[in-house]
Amino acid sequence: MRVLALSYHHLPHHLKPFFLYFATFPEDEQISVNKLVNLWVAEVDFKIKEKADVNLKVAKGFRREEYAEQCLTDLIDRSLVFIHHLTFDRKIKACRMHDLIRKLCLREANNSNFVNVITEDRISCEQTRHFSTERWISVQSEQFSFVANQLATVNYNKVQSILLFTRNPSNSRIMQELVRVKFLQILELASPTLDAFPSCLVDLSLLRYLTLNFNSSINDHDINVPPSIARLQSLYTLVLKFPKYYEIFKMSQLRNLCLDRINMVPHKYEGTLHNMQCLSGLNPLYCDYQFTLHIPRLRKLLICGNQQDYIQSNKETRLHNLLYFFQLEELKFYGIPHSVLPPPKAFPENLKKLALTNTCLNLEDLRILGKLPKLEALKLKFASSSYIGTEWEVAEEGFPQLKFLLLNRLNIKYWRASSDQFPCLERLFLEECMNMDSVPEDFAEITTLQLIDIRMCKESVVNSAKKIQQDVEDNYGSSIEVHFRYIL
């Protein structure tokens, strides 16, 4: 522990609060990087004394999110946090702490009065008396009565952040205690058991981060989000599952909005969300020109709809308005059917990452994707690939800038492609492509190729990947990795 303690004490001063923040999460928690970054950004410029440093970074062109991501990377490079899961394009999706390092983190957070971590195996009165500054509260218990009792002991004039890791955060006693914390800025209700929108929360006017997860058995039409939610003018991040309606454009500070169902966006725009960076859950029917004008700096977008929504939006050329998201870099479609994709010129010119999940594309759709000039990462998860047929012959222009490709349930038999059509490919993932015969043998000529990852495919696909691996070693003296599992 003494050696580990040196690792903490030798940290640059600006990194220490970021390290200590991990004490707010339960043991063995797989921490979503998106959630972590959004929490840090919402913590009043990370709630550290070096706010000038943060503002300097932002002034030099760094977004707050980029600064937070860099701080996480620095902690990982120092082996204080480890990567739990990478995305297919090598972005960090989830991270964790080793047990010993977490003990160090808890000890240092406790010694510095950084956070009050309340668990059932610690004596609550000792915890409460020890903390002279109770700005951060993390309650980790499955017993809602314990949680309510502990919240009743905190100093309501000091607490600014509360993270609840409990089974029933919507319990009336818990809500009664929460609404008394008038200076609350961060509220994370991690358990997905809410049955109704807690209207009392709209009185917490200083909230900058709010996550509400509703019970998955509740029909979204039975959940009423009151118009008074627009009082939360300081919100940076709002995560709502299954909301029916809310007045989004009145929340001028909003940076992240996450909706996990097909949701309605109001027709009337009463303001402009200049700070909005990420929007998840937009219905394709509401992707109109006026909408793009009111979210001018959007960088990440998930469009989610059923087949009829997409067909109707295609008739009205709604998706052609994607062009006007000038800063959009990441775009995801969920449930998009074949022959609905807009033409190449309708896509944002700076688009680098595209994901289509539960999709049914045809060959013409794939040709459209190949014409996106800056596309570097492509994820295709098929609900059905019957519209492609048994053979995919890649168009001559191919995918000239593509570095990362993931194909899931592409049930063709023959994949005809050359190295010239994927000249920059670095990582190839094939998942559940059960009818595929082989990886194109000419991929041995792709000088940038580093990895072929195969899951639930035929043994012949693995053999073809191994042959590419051997050819690269024999012909160029270099190597690529071949990973495979659950082979048919």
Side-chain angles (χ1 to χ4, degrees):
M1 184 66 76
R2 184 177 299 177
V3 175
L4 289 177
L6 289 175
S7 299
Y8 168 73
H9 291 299
H10 288 164
L11 275 177
H13 197 58
H14 76 278
L15 282 180
K16 289 183 178 179
F18 292 89
F19 173 75
L20 296 178
Y21 201 91
F22 281 86
T24 62
F25 293 96
E27 185 177 5
D28 297 326
E29 180 85 354
Q30 298 177 20
I31 304 168
S32 163
V33 170
N34 283 338
K35 173 190 284 191
L36 185 63
V37 167
N38 290 335
L39 281 167
W40 283 348
V41 168
E43 288 280 4
V44 190
D45 291 341
F46 314 107
K47 277 192 175 175
I48 55 179
K49 294 180 180 179
E50 295 75 16
K51 283 200 290 185
D53 292 347
V54 175
N55 291 331
L56 179 62
K57 289 280 187 180
V58 174
K60 288 182 177 179
F62 285 79
R63 295 180 299 117
R64 289 187 177 95
E65 289 83 359
E66 290 173 331
Y67 181 79
E69 290 167 0
Q70 184 57 55
C71 289
L72 175 60
T73 300
D74 290 344
L75 292 175
I76 291 171
D77 291 342
R78 295 169 185 270
S79 300
L80 293 172
V81 178
F82 73 91
I83 298 171
H84 181 72
H85 184 62
L86 286 173
T87 63
F88 78 107
D89 56 341
R90 299 191 62 80
K91 300 291 179 62
I92 305 170
K93 186 173 183 177
C95 60
R96 291 180 62 179
M97 267 190 168
H98 288 290
D99 292 343
L100 282 176
I101 296 177
R102 185 175 182 275
K103 289 180 180 179
L104 169 68
C105 181
L106 286 170
R107 188 185 73 182
E108 295 297 334
N110 185 71
N111 291 340
S112 61
N113 289 347
F114 184 85
V115 61
N116 189 352
V117 179
I118 301 174
T119 59
E120 294 175 45
D121 58 355
R122 299 177 64 195
I123 301 174
S124 60
C125 60
E126 291 182 359
Q127 297 175 87
T128 304
R129 282 201 302 267
H130 177 76
F131 281 84
S132 58
T133 303
E134 290 186 327
R135 291 186 177 179
W136 291 270
I137 302 289
S138 175
V139 186
Q140 303 166 15
S141 170
E142 295 296 328
Q143 302 298 321
F144 68 82
S145 58
F146 174 84
V147 174
N149 290 338
Q150 296 307 307
L151 290 176
T153 66
V154 304
N155 187 328
Y156 295 111
N157 293 321
K158 291 183 178 180
V159 175
Q160 296 181 0
S161 298
I162 296 179
L163 284 76
L164 295 185
F165 298 90
T166 185
R167 182 169 295 174
N168 186 9
S170 62
N171 174 268
S172 59
R173 278 196 61 204
I174 293 177
M175 287 299 164
Q176 288 172 8
E177 299 298 338
L178 287 175
V179 296
R180 294 170 60 189
V181 189
K182 297 302 181 183
F183 298 104
L184 192 62
Q185 297 177 359
I186 307 294
L187 180 57
E188 165 74 32
L189 302 180
S191 178
T193 56
L194 292 172
D195 294 330
F197 184 88
S199 299
C200 56
L201 296 183
V202 301
D203 294 326
L204 300 175
S205 59
L206 298 180
L207 277 179
R208 296 162 65 91
Y209 180 101
L210 176 61
T211 298
L212 300 175
N213 294 340
F214 295 95
N215 193 316
S216 60
S217 64
I218 300 297
N219 187 296
D220 60 318
H221 294 293
D222 295 330
I223 297 175
N224 178 40
V225 180
S228 55
I229 195 174
R231 295 180 196 168
L232 304 180
Q233 287 291 303
S234 298
L235 270 183
Y236 273 28
T237 292
L238 176 60
V239 179
L240 292 176
K241 289 188 176 180
F242 312 159
K244 183 178 180 182
Y245 178 85
Y246 51 91
E247 300 193 9
I248 170 180
F249 289 96
K250 293 182 179 179
M251 303 177 192
S252 59
Q253 297 300 315
L254 206 57
R255 300 176 72 88
N256 299 280
L257 177 62
C258 179
L259 313 166
D260 280 355
R261 275 282 182 93
I262 303 164
N263 289 281
M264 181 180 292
V265 174
H267 290 288
K268 296 180 180 179
Y269 310 112
E270 300 184 17
T272 299
L273 300 178
H274 289 290
N275 296 316
M276 179 74 82
Q277 303 283 310
C278 178
L279 172 60
S280 174
L282 175 66
N283 190 304
L285 290 174
Y286 297 95
C287 188
D288 58 32
Y289 176 66
Q290 287 297 318
F291 185 83
T292 67
L293 295 180
H294 287 268
I295 310 184
R297 297 176 182 170
L298 196 65
R299 300 170 67 91
K300 299 180 181 180
L301 173 63
L302 166 61
I303 296 177
C304 181
N306 58 38
Q307 183 170 326
Q308 288 305 118
D309 292 334
Y310 279 111
I311 291 174
Q312 184 61 34
S313 69
N314 183 47
K315 291 179 180 178
E316 300 172 4
T317 64
R318 297 277 182 170
L319 294 181
H320 290 227
N321 294 304
L322 291 171
L323 170 67
Y324 301 106
F325 286 123
F326 296 112
Q327 297 189 32
L328 196 70
E329 295 182 353
E330 298 186 19
L331 175 62
K332 299 179 182 180
F333 290 101
Y334 183 87
I336 189 168
H338 68 91
S339 305
V340 170
L341 278 180
K345 291 183 179 180
F347 283 85
E349 62 179 359
N350 291 314
L351 190 66
K352 295 181 179 179
K353 182 175 180 178
L354 179 62
L356 296 95
T357 301
N358 199 35
T359 186
C360 302
L361 300 186
N362 58 25
L363 287 175
E364 185 55 38
D365 293 325
L366 293 176
R367 292 189 185 97
I368 290 174
L369 301 182
K371 294 178 181 179
L372 304 181
K374 297 183 181 180
L375 190 64
E376 296 180 357
L378 177 60
K379 179 190 292 187
L380 298 177
K381 290 193 169 185
F382 290 87
S384 171
S385 55
S386 59
Y387 296 96
I388 293 178
T390 59
E391 181 175 337
W392 177 26
E393 184 168 354
V394 179
E396 184 177 353
E397 60 270 19
F399 296 81
Q401 300 298 322
L402 200 65
K403 297 179 181 179
F404 311 102
L405 176 60
L406 185 150
L407 301 175
N408 177 279
R409 296 186 180 181
L410 176 61
N411 289 321
I412 60 167
K413 184 174 179 63
Y414 304 109
W415 183 11
R416 314 292 189 192
S418 70
S419 58
D420 293 337
Q421 293 163 328
F422 294 89
C424 298
L425 191 63
E426 297 178 8
R427 296 165 65 85
L428 171 63
F429 293 80
L430 300 175
E431 301 176 348
E432 301 180 48
C433 299
M434 299 180 183
N435 292 328
M436 187 178 290
D437 205 40
S438 62
V439 181
E441 62 179 13
D442 197 51
F443 278 20
E445 304 300 319
I446 302 177
T447 58
T448 55
L449 191 60
Q450 301 170 8
L451 169 70
I452 302 176
D453 188 282
I454 302 166
R455 178 173 65 87
M456 291 187 69
C457 297
K458 290 181 178 178
E459 187 175 359
S460 60
V461 176
V462 176
N463 292 336
S464 65
K466 288 181 177 179
K467 184 177 186 305
I468 290 171
Q469 183 184 43
Q470 188 63 50
D471 289 346
V472 168
E473 184 175 341
D474 292 344
N475 297 333
Y476 302 104
S478 55
S479 62
I480 64 170
E481 296 180 51
V482 174
H483 299 166
F484 55 91
R485 56 204 179 280
Y486 309 123
I487 300 308
L488 305 179

